[in-house]
Amino acid sequence: MRLIILLTFICFFAAGKFTDEESSSPLTDISSYTQATFSTYIDHYSAMPNQFSMKYYYKTTYWNETGPIFFFCGGEGRIEVFLNSTGWVDALAEQMNAIVVYAEHRYFGSSLPFGNKSYTKNSYTKYLSPHQAMADFAYLLTSLRAQYNNTKVITFGGGYSGMISAWMRIKYANVVDGAVASSAPVNHFYGTVDPTEFYHIVTNDYQAVDPSCPAYIRTAYDYITNMTDYPTTYFNLTMLFQTCYPIITPGDMFKLKKWIQYAMTFMAISNYPYKSNFYNPLPAYPVTQACNLFNDVEIDDIWGVLKAVKDAANIYFNFSGQIECNDLNNFVQGNFGPGNGLDYLSCTYLNVPIGSNATNSMFGNIPWDQTWWNNYCVSTWGRSPILNYATVYFGATTDSQTKWYLRDATNIIFSNGSLDPWISGAITKSINPTVLGFVMAGGAHIADLKAPNANDPAEVTNGRAIIKGAIEYALREKIPE
Ligand SMILES: *[C@@H]1O[C@H](CO)[C@@H](O)[C@H](O)[C@H]1NC(C)=O
Ligand SMILES: *[C@@H]1O[C@H](CO)[C@@H](O)[C@H](O)[C@H]1NC(C)=O
Ligand SMILES: *[C@@H]1O[C@H](CO)[C@@H](O)[C@H](O)[C@H]1NC(C)=O
Ligand SMILES: *[C@@H]1O[C@H](CO)[C@@H](O)[C@H](O)[C@H]1NC(C)=O
Ligand SMILES: *[C@@H]1O[C@H](CO)[C@@H](O)[C@H](O)[C@H]1NC(C)=O
Ligand SMILES: *[C@@H]1O[C@H](CO)[C@@H](O)[C@H](O)[C@H]1NC(C)=O
Ligand SMILES: *[C@@H]1O[C@H](CO)[C@@H](O)[C@H](O)[C@H]1NC(C)=O
Ligand SMILES: *[C@@H]1O[C@H](CO)[C@@H](O)[C@H](O)[C@H]1NC(C)=O
Ligand SMILES: CC(=O)N[C@H]1CO[C@H](CO)[C@@H](O)[C@@H]1O
């Protein structure tokens, strides 16, 4: 059984109202970039000479010979998804005469050290880690700086890749002059976060749209939990949810709940005020759209509630209208491409605890169970998570200790959307004069790095101005001769 735990990393609006004039966030024009590959070591920590090709895109047309390199650190998916959906980086590069680079994270997209065998056995998969990926980025940056007048570097990233961006500045201050870390849950690790905050925030996002909405989702969940003991309901559920394979076991019922939870969570994460296509194609304000489906349903109408929750989940899974049936076994990938890299990372270096507490979550009580997770990881990957890796290697800590741990860091911006569940493990307050943490009210996950849109909440627009000011500050520091 697969537990869906994701490192992928929400909006204020009047209940029940959204405009029909949905604008889209414009995509960056990928054809204006040049695609390239960079050969680097599969293992940076042995003298093993074997190399692999990592993919990157770059654009030098804005550069004026003295401008910086804006380096977007790839994350848990093919790099094109990040390039497509972070248009503000490109727009800022134009204003600041920067070279833009988007580099793919190893083991994602087409940057596979052992080709399509990369995930087939442990001796191939074992080179997938944040530190190896960061070394790839540092070597690529060193090569690029040599080519482009040893110019300064600002890293960018959002979500997991936002963590990488901040960590690049901390670990490679010799190569990276400043970092923008949008919606980066750098403290979302074992022992440093309350695991139940995540679904608390997801629930709050539905609550904010319509105070009666979470109760419907909660009730649908309870109905399915209760029906688990009654296989006579399974046929109806199979028909209603249009599942690709019939629901025949309690395990399938568990998957059905995970499928619903996944859709509700990712709509909250992607609750942009415009159409978007990051994880999956979505309409503007998907949370509002989902809650609207419960408007005319009585909460004690079992099949009515379940039908509405199915339709709500299908806003996430089937906005394209292309899905013939709902595959409860395989619904995680979306745009991010094939491979289970994120699962492997969650089972090794990035043990990210997420749970749910019925007192504040519409998904009921699902306490984080580390033992269960360890067993899952051993049976799936033959590995147990290294619980304190992020703490020891990158200084992940509790909110109250962050200021102390990062006291010597400079030039890092931690920007957050107030509605993003990942904020529970993020840095939301400034650490020192150049390590800034702030929250943009109404912002969803990585909203600031997306191309500016007329529907952006005011604080997201202001957040971009803060980031630009901080980058200019970092770039003013003179490199000694
Ligand atoms: C390289 O950068 C330095 C420092 O920013 C600048 O003074 C110099 O003019 C640049 N050289 C070229 C060839 O652009
Ligand atoms: C990125 O956008 C281009 C259009 O510019 C589209 O062809 C491509 O499929 C998109 N790629 C991904 C991975 O979303
Ligand atoms: C290059 O661009 C930067 C940022 O826009 C600007 O400060 C600088 O004066 C420009 N340099 C040249 C040589 O045009
Ligand atoms: C990898 O690709 C080759 C050629 O396309 C194919 O023959 C092989 O079966 C694939 N291997 C895996 C593990 O998918
Ligand atoms: C589920 O079953 C429990 C125990 O029988 C009951 O208290 C609860 O009301 C049921 N929930 C729903 C939504 O029917
Ligand atoms: C199946 O659904 C129908 C209505 O669609 C309902 O009348 C029937 O009682 C349901 N069967 C079970 C076992 O819940
Ligand atoms: C997806 O949407 C299309 C078009 O609205 C619909 O025909 C299809 O049944 C939907 N698929 C599922 C699984 O609900
Ligand atoms: C849920 O939170 C309450 C209040 O903080 C606490 O007493 C309870 O133990 C928690 N339940 C679980 C399952 O964690
Ligand atoms: C974890 C955290 O700092 N959350 C804050 C996020 O921002 C909102 C709005 O500014 C605050 O209310 C939260 O306390």
Side-chain angles (χ1 to χ4, degrees):
M1 203 181 294
R2 303 184 62 84
L3 179 78
I4 309 310
I5 169 183
L6 285 131
L7 253 188
T8 24
F9 305 105
I10 300 186
C11 203
F12 66 107
F13 21 63
K17 278 239 187 301
F18 66 95
T19 154
D20 282 325
E21 295 154 28
E22 295 175 359
S23 54
S24 296
S25 175
L27 295 176
T28 311
D29 181 11
I30 204 163
S31 66
S32 67
Y33 281 75
T34 305
Q35 193 185 310
T37 55
F38 179 69
S39 198
T40 188
Y41 296 111
I42 292 177
D43 184 4
H44 293 284
Y45 301 91
S46 72
M48 192 175 88
N50 311 45
Q51 302 205 337
F52 79 103
S53 253
M54 67 184 278
K55 182 178 184 178
Y56 68 102
Y57 287 87
Y58 69 99
K59 183 179 196 171
T60 56
T61 47
Y62 305 137
W63 198 51
N64 71 357
E65 312 247 310
T66 60
I69 294 175
F70 284 178
F71 186 90
F72 193 97
C73 306
E76 70 281 25
R78 57 177 79 135
I79 192 62
E80 290 81 2
V81 180
F82 294 95
L83 203 168
N84 274 358
S85 54
T86 55
W88 186 63
V89 177
D90 186 281
L92 189 64
E94 184 168 21
Q95 292 166 29
M96 298 184 70
N97 302 99
I99 295 173
V100 202
V101 179
Y102 277 82
E104 194 160 72
H105 189 298
R106 57 165 59 203
Y107 287 84
F108 293 96
S110 51
S111 298
L112 300 169
F114 300 93
N116 64 356
K117 296 197 179 97
S118 295
Y119 286 102
T120 56
K121 59 181 181 184
N122 226 298
S123 58
Y124 292 152
T125 314
K126 68 180 181 183
Y127 304 105
L128 169 55
S129 70
H131 49 272
Q132 297 276 10
M134 287 168 61
D136 297 338
F137 294 159
Y139 279 103
L140 171 56
L141 272 168
T142 302
S143 156
L144 292 171
R145 289 185 71 219
Q147 214 174 319
Y148 296 107
N149 193 17
N150 204 35
T151 192
K152 287 196 171 185
V153 173
I154 305 292
T155 53
F156 289 77
Y160 167 51
S161 90
M163 303 201 258
I164 296 278
S165 175
W167 293 339
M168 285 294 291
R169 169 67 186 151
I170 292 168
K171 288 286 183 203
Y172 293 104
N174 54 324
V175 185
V176 175
D177 301 281
V180 178
S182 177
S183 300
V186 286
N187 287 337
H188 212 294
F189 294 99
Y190 185 81
T192 68
V193 73
D194 172 354
T196 64
E197 267 309 292
F198 187 89
Y199 286 121
H200 180 194
I201 298 168
V202 173
T203 301
N204 284 350
D205 293 337
Y206 285 79
Q207 175 96 27
V209 165
D210 179 349
S212 69
C213 189
Y216 281 94
I217 296 164
R218 174 72 194 268
T219 302
Y221 231 67
D222 286 349
Y223 284 143
I224 296 170
T225 302
N226 286 6
M227 287 172 169
T228 301
D229 293 333
Y230 298 95
T232 50
T233 60
Y234 290 7
F235 174 78
N236 267 8
L237 288 168
T238 298
M239 297 300 282
L240 181 85
F241 282 92
Q242 284 177 260
T243 61
C244 298
Y245 306 98
I247 295 171
I248 54 171
T249 66
D252 295 334
M253 293 291 274
F254 179 81
K255 287 178 195 166
L256 178 61
K257 290 200 293 184
K258 286 286 157 199
W259 179 85
I260 295 168
Q261 186 180 21
Y262 188 87
M264 299 304 152
T265 301
F266 275 77
M267 287 194 284
I269 288 174
S270 315
N271 199 20
Y272 305 110
Y274 39 76
K275 278 187 199 167
S276 65
N277 189 2
F278 189 42
Y279 302 103
N280 265 4
L282 278 176
Y285 297 122
V287 173
T288 308
Q289 300 245 25
C291 288
N292 284 347
L293 294 168
F294 297 105
N295 283 347
D296 302 319
V297 180
E298 296 299 329
I299 202 151
D300 51 7
D301 170 7
I302 299 184
W303 295 102
V305 170
L306 291 173
K307 170 80 170 72
V309 86
K310 182 264 181 188
D311 290 343
N314 269 356
I315 294 174
Y316 181 75
F317 289 113
N318 194 24
F319 183 56
S320 66
Q322 307 285 306
I323 303 298
E324 286 178 11
C325 60
N326 289 310
D327 189 347
L328 305 184
N329 292 314
N330 186 20
F331 54 83
V332 177
Q333 290 165 358
N335 288 332
F336 275 56
N340 263 327
L342 189 59
D343 196 61
Y344 179 83
L345 285 170
S346 310
C347 274
T348 50
Y349 300 104
L350 304 176
N351 187 94
V352 175
I354 298 183
S356 171
N357 183 318
T359 59
N360 59 26
S361 161
M362 60 191 184
F363 301 114
N365 275 328
I366 321 171
W368 173 252
D369 184 344
Q370 188 64 49
T371 307
W372 188 93
W373 182 246
N374 289 346
N375 291 338
Y376 165 81
C377 292
V378 168
S379 65
T380 310
W381 299 105
R383 288 281 184 272
S384 304
I386 303 164
L387 291 186
N388 59 358
Y389 167 84
T391 328
V392 174
Y393 205 75
F394 296 118
T397 185
T398 56
D399 197 38
S400 63
Q401 295 295 307
T402 298
K403 212 164 177 143
W404 174 248
Y405 276 37
L406 289 182
R407 64 195 179 282
D408 291 330
T410 61
N411 298 333
I412 307 180
I413 305 153
F414 292 101
S415 61
N416 295 283
S418 64
L419 303 175
D420 182 1
W422 288 110
I423 204 171
S424 51
I427 292 178
T428 54
K429 296 184 205 80
S430 294
I431 303 293
N432 66 40
T434 72
V435 177
L436 308 182
F438 62 91
V439 177
M440 299 161 292
H445 188 60
I446 325 180
D448 48 342
L449 299 190
K450 296 198 176 289
N453 182 283
N455 293 340
D456 279 329
E459 290 198 7
V460 168
T461 305
N462 295 348
R464 293 188 183 117
I466 296 171
I467 295 170
K468 184 177 180 188
I471 291 173
E472 286 168 342
Y473 182 90
L475 294 175
R476 272 200 296 274
E477 257 181 280
K478 290 250 183 313
I479 301 178
E481 298 291 324

